Amino acid sequence: MAKTIVVKQIGSPIRRPDVQRRTLIGLGLNKMHKTRELEDTPSIRGMVNKIPHLVQIIEERE
């Protein structure tokens, strides 16, 4: 079974660059405090690392 991470949106994309807004949408997040369980891949980790002020990793699952 693949490793997954739970990502929560903690910041608003209002008054942020369009690239950051599109990264949130790419992660499947578009509303405050929404969570998503995503596969733990280098591409997902890179997206999360580009917007650490807008998202938070809640937990990592096996």
Side-chain angles (χ1 to χ4, degrees):
M1 184 165 174
K3 290 178 66 173
T4 60
I5 56 174
V6 178
V7 180
K8 179 179 181 180
Q9 181 177 346
I10 58 170
S12 173
I14 296 173
R15 296 183 58 144
R16 302 284 183 191
D18 192 48
V19 173
Q20 293 178 6
R21 185 184 309 262
R22 289 193 309 242
T23 303
L24 276 175
I25 293 169
L27 289 170
L29 301 170
N30 60 357
K31 291 184 173 34
M32 292 289 294
H33 309 294
K34 186 174 179 182
T35 61
R36 287 284 308 230
E37 185 172 350
L38 303 167
E39 190 173 347
D40 191 9
T41 62
S43 61
I44 297 295
R45 286 286 182 159
M47 293 171 78
V48 169
N49 289 337
K50 283 187 81 161
I51 52 170
H53 54 286
L54 298 178
V55 297
Q56 178 182 29
I57 296 177
I58 302 296
E59 69 178 282
E60 301 178 12
R61 299 181 182 167
E62 289 291 328

